[in-house]
Amino acid sequence: MGPGAEPGSSNLQHWLQFLTSSAVTKASASKIAPLSAAEACGFLACVIVETGQPELEQLDVTEAGSGRGRGAMQYTGVRRTAYDRARQQAIALRIDPNSNGWQQRYFAEEYAGLHDPPEGSLIGWSRVFEQRPPGMDAAAAAAYWTGSAATGQGYFRPGVPHLERRQQQAQRLWQLLQSGALTLSGPPRS
């Protein structure tokens, strides 16, 4: 972490490194290519808004209000059922489901279809990671990953997108990266 890093930004750093490296590709059985820095900032901005955690200090959170969503990606419906099953297995093995490592691994495995029920794919069918448009800045990436439940697009697909908040967080993360408070291993990819 560079000088002037925000408290708790080690979690942001951990996620940024994961998303922009081959670790995401390995964890997803080669389904997700490393994200560019801007794509990662946009994706992390969505995670921040989904969890309500600006520094990602808590990841195994339950959606405020309805309690329908759970985890870093706020899995709901059949995605929540699969998440809860994997979460219980982790707890039984004394693995912390609130840890960066477990949340990252679950996210990548879920996209790769490793937690799919017999009825079919939970989210990998969307091919949202394989079909992402090139050259997005952080704000555009936040909008792309957000999508919406109404249009059936994006990765997160919330009922209420709160796109302005996601784009503000994406810009904040991009500025942290540009200032050196967050870093990439190797040369930055924008």
Side-chain angles (χ1 to χ4, degrees):
M1 231 174 336
E6 296 179 3
S9 63
S10 63
N11 288 338
L12 294 174
Q13 182 65 57
H14 199 274
W15 277 87
L16 185 64
Q17 292 298 133
F18 174 76
L19 292 170
T20 61
S21 73
S22 61
V24 72
T25 305
K26 182 178 178 184
S28 69
S30 299
K31 296 285 184 189
I32 303 173
L35 276 59
S36 71
E39 290 170 339
C41 287
F43 190 84
L44 287 177
C46 293
V47 176
I48 288 167
V49 172
E50 293 289 331
T51 62
Q53 303 288 315
E55 304 304 320
L56 301 181
E57 55 271 9
Q58 295 292 317
L59 298 169
D60 184 33
V61 297
T62 303
E63 183 177 8
S66 72
R68 290 181 18 202
R70 180 146 200 174
M73 309 305 157
Q74 289 295 284
Y75 302 104
T76 59
V78 294
R79 293 178 76 194
R80 168 75 186 262
T81 303
Y83 177 85
D84 285 343
R85 188 177 319 110
R87 181 181 178 277
Q88 287 304 316
Q89 289 171 348
I91 291 169
L93 295 171
R94 297 193 170 149
I95 298 169
D96 181 5
N98 195 54
S99 69
N100 288 319
W102 189 83
Q103 290 285 328
Q104 290 164 348
R105 189 172 49 259
Y106 183 82
F107 145 73
E109 288 177 356
E110 190 230 14
Y111 189 79
L114 301 180
H115 297 276
D116 288 352
E119 299 81 43
S121 174
L122 293 171
I123 190 64
W125 61 270
S126 68
R127 301 189 44 81
V128 68
F129 283 94
E130 294 90 340
Q131 297 175 352
R132 60 191 192 245
M136 291 186 287
D137 64 19
Y144 174 74
W145 299 124
T146 299
S148 79
T151 64
Q153 295 179 330
Y155 174 81
F156 291 94
R157 301 172 179 225
V160 180
H162 300 293
L163 188 55
E164 309 80 30
R165 289 176 31 208
R166 293 169 191 264
Q167 290 179 318
Q168 286 171 348
Q169 287 294 330
Q171 289 302 106
R172 177 180 75 91
L173 295 173
W174 183 253
Q175 289 168 354
L176 288 172
L177 185 59
Q178 297 305 303
S179 74
L182 294 173
T183 61
L184 299 173
S185 60
R189 295 182 312 273
S190 54

